[in-house]
Amino acid sequence: DGGITQSPKYLFRKEGQNVTLSCEQNLNHDAMYWYRQDPGQGLRLIYYSQIVNDFQKGDIAEGYSVSREKKESFPLTVTSAQKNPTAFYLCASSSGQGSSEAFFGQGTRLTVV
Amino acid sequence: DQQVKQNSPSLSVQEGRISILNCDYTNSMFDYFLWYKKYPAEGPTFLISISSIKDKNEDGRFTVFLNKSAKHLSLHIVPSQPGDSAVYFCAASAGGTSYGKLTFGQGTILTVHP
């Protein structure tokens, strides 16, 4: 079954700790994205990558970092510099070839205590 | 700067009737528009899309209308079913090298009553 897998579904961390969220896709998509959703708000773009070993900041990149060493994987690190890290994080991918349809994973709920 | 806006936070509809969800945008570079459906604690699922060269696209019970001059699009669901109850997000893309990089509205909570 092709799809996007995010793990874990729920994650708890202490304030001041870095945490890495996993995102893997087997759709052979070139482009991958990280979005954040807060209550009552739409999805906001954190980082995106259109090709391996390259990525760009989205609208709210401060306090986050990413890597794209493999086509299938696009992990997101929430650093201690992110002031409000508690949120629902969504990873997505798209073919990037004349189609803007993005496929989403099931999300990771991060709670920082 | 909210480039994609869904001004109705919620909509309540009777089963069998039409649901109309609205979306406005400000960026003239947007040339591809999508609607996603989302349940709590899950990822959004793609519903339907429309290119800026069209003004209507249908897929079963779902129809999206695009009015470029008004920078407005709408999603019609006919007939509405209780299983349609979810949050609906409008999204837009500027195409070119931005394919897949989506700007989302705030979402509209649709409740379909039996």
Side-chain angles (χ1 to χ4, degrees), chain A residues 9 33 35 37 41-43 45 48 50 88 90 94 98 100-102 104-106, chain B residues 32 34 36 38 41-44 46 89 93 97-102 104-106:
Chain A
K9 190 166 178 65
Y33 311 83
Y35 290 88
Q37 187 189 15
Q41 295 193 37
L43 283 65
L45 183 65
Y48 65 104
Q50 293 178 313
F88 190 52
L90 287 155
S94 71
S100 287
E101 180 184 338
F104 284 83
Q106 290 299 294
Chain B
Y32 197 76
L34 307 91
Y36 283 85
K38 186 182 182 300
E42 293 185 11
F46 170 75
F89 288 100
S93 169
T97 58
S98 298
Y99 276 125
K101 182 187 169 195
L102 301 174
F104 283 83
Q106 308 96 306

Side-chain angles (χ1 to χ4, degrees), chain B:
Chain B
D1 177 29
Q2 191 79 26
Q3 297 186 62
V4 178
K5 293 182 182 180
Q6 294 175 254
N7 291 317
S8 298
S10 63
L11 174 67
S12 183
V13 171
Q14 204 69 28
E15 180 179 6
R17 305 295 292 269
I18 185 171
S19 295
I20 301 176
L21 296 98
N22 293 304
C23 178
D24 297 296
Y25 64 96
T26 57
N27 189 340
S28 300
M29 298 301 292
F30 288 147
D31 63 358
Y32 197 76
F33 304 89
L34 307 91
W35 285 94
Y36 283 85
K37 176 181 179 180
K38 186 182 182 300
Y39 295 113
E42 293 185 11
T45 54
F46 170 75
L47 271 178
I48 191 168
S49 62
I50 187 166
S51 165
S52 60
I53 62 173
K54 295 185 176 181
D55 54 19
K56 178 182 173 182
N57 188 28
E58 278 183 87
D59 185 0
R61 296 186 298 115
F62 302 93
T63 302
V64 57
F65 295 91
L66 176 62
N67 182 334
K68 288 190 293 293
S69 61
K71 292 190 175 67
H72 176 84
L73 63 155
S74 61
L75 174 68
H76 293 209
I77 306 174
V78 182
S80 301
Q81 300 173 352
D84 295 329
S85 297
V87 180
Y88 288 78
F89 288 100
C90 167
S93 169
T97 58
S98 298
Y99 276 125
K101 182 187 169 195
L102 301 174
T103 301
F104 283 83
Q106 308 96 306
T108 296
I109 301 171
L110 173 66
T111 304
V112 180
H113 298 282

